[in-house]
Amino acid sequence: MKNVAILLSGRGSNFLALSDAITAGKIPARIVLVVSNKPDAPGLTHARERNYEAVCVPSKGIKREAYDRQVVKELQARQVDVICLAGFMRLLSSWFVQQYPRQILNIHPSLLPAFPGLHSQKQALEWGAKVSGCTVHFVDEKLDHGPIIVQRSVPVLDEDTEETLSARILEQEHQIYPEALKLVCEERVRFQERLVVILK
Ligand code: GRF
């Protein structure tokens, strides 16, 4: 059983998908902490409604590493094994990443390495991509860069808007994030350089 922490900044729909899968007994994990850097994040409210321990560590005006030290303190106090970034809109410092090597997961709404950064769905539309999707990857010291655990593609339709494409991708995000967390918690991932091999 792994102790999982969720870091979020907003809506929290990926957090809820992870919570649902864990509650349904699909993942050998428990959510021991939800952290938001935004006091008014709806995800924080959802976490409290579900009776998770949920804290706000406000990030406004605080230097990156000083902030990360505050968050890591909260994580260490709960003996966190795995961290899931779920719409956490802050870049982690190298120091943070080094505290949890290959233990931090992120979900990104494109098929990385295409369209990293913000507004990936808009980037895909503007590029004229015919296919996009989502990626769950380990976090390393560069943005949207670490080893890929699971990806899922979705078609991009001619009539898509940023909203319709985002909704189609989000549906798949809610599928693959629990799948990826399950693989990690079951210790079924092995590394060959940056290739993640999944054990059957
Ligand atoms: C998702 O699109 C995720 O891929 C990206 O931020 C968004 C978070 O949405 N990293 P939610 O807060 O999980 O609903």
Side-chain angles (χ1 to χ4, degrees):
M1 192 68 103
K2 302 284 184 194
N3 288 341
V4 172
I6 310 279
L7 271 53
L8 54 76
S9 305
R11 182 174 61 179
S13 71
N14 278 287
F15 151 55
L16 292 176
L18 293 171
S19 161
D20 287 345
I22 290 172
T23 306
K26 294 180 185 163
I27 305 174
R30 62 176 91 84
I31 295 174
V32 295
L33 183 65
V34 178
V35 179
S36 171
N37 66 318
K38 302 266 187 210
D40 55 354
L44 202 53
T45 310
H46 296 317
R48 293 190 172 128
E49 282 165 0
R50 293 192 177 197
N51 294 318
Y52 291 115
E53 194 172 350
V55 298
C56 178
V57 183
S59 56
K60 216 171 165 192
I62 302 175
K63 286 215 174 108
R64 189 173 310 287
E65 200 172 310
Y67 181 77
D68 286 359
R69 283 183 189 275
Q70 290 182 31
V71 174
V72 166
K73 218 168 147 189
E74 300 286 348
L75 301 172
Q76 284 171 344
R78 278 94 177 171
Q79 288 157 346
V80 166
D81 303 302
V82 179
I83 298 159
C84 291
L85 307 185
F88 187 62
M89 302 305 285
R90 283 183 64 86
L91 197 59
L92 302 185
S93 62
S94 299
W95 177 81
F96 190 142
V97 175
Q98 284 158 16
Q99 305 310 302
Y100 292 95
R102 296 172 171 177
Q103 290 166 276
I104 310 173
L105 280 60
N106 182 42
I107 179 122
H108 184 78
S110 74
L111 295 175
L112 290 171
F115 314 126
L118 293 174
H119 310 298
S120 309
Q121 303 93 333
K122 187 159 176 265
Q123 291 186 54
L125 285 173
E126 286 174 352
W127 193 260
K130 300 294 187 195
V131 174
S132 191
C134 43
T135 303
V136 180
H137 64 93
F138 285 106
V139 172
D140 68 7
E141 294 176 27
K142 293 185 201 156
L143 179 68
D144 300 329
H145 177 270
I148 292 167
I149 309 167
V150 181
Q151 287 187 306
R152 188 83 20 99
S153 62
V154 306
V156 181
L157 308 178
D158 292 345
E159 58 273 24
D160 264 334
T161 61
E162 190 181 354
E163 288 68 35
T164 58
L165 178 59
S166 299
R168 191 174 312 113
I169 293 173
L170 190 64
E171 222 174 280
Q172 297 308 314
E173 293 183 37
H174 296 162
Q175 302 295 320
I176 69 167
Y177 212 170
E179 285 174 29
L181 181 61
K182 179 178 163 75
L183 294 171
V184 171
C185 290
E186 291 179 351
E187 300 184 359
R188 285 169 57 202
V189 300
R190 293 292 177 273
F191 288 85
Q192 288 175 11
E193 308 279 322
R194 63 163 292 134
L195 170 66
V196 174
V197 177
I198 308 296
L199 306 182
K200 299 277 175 225

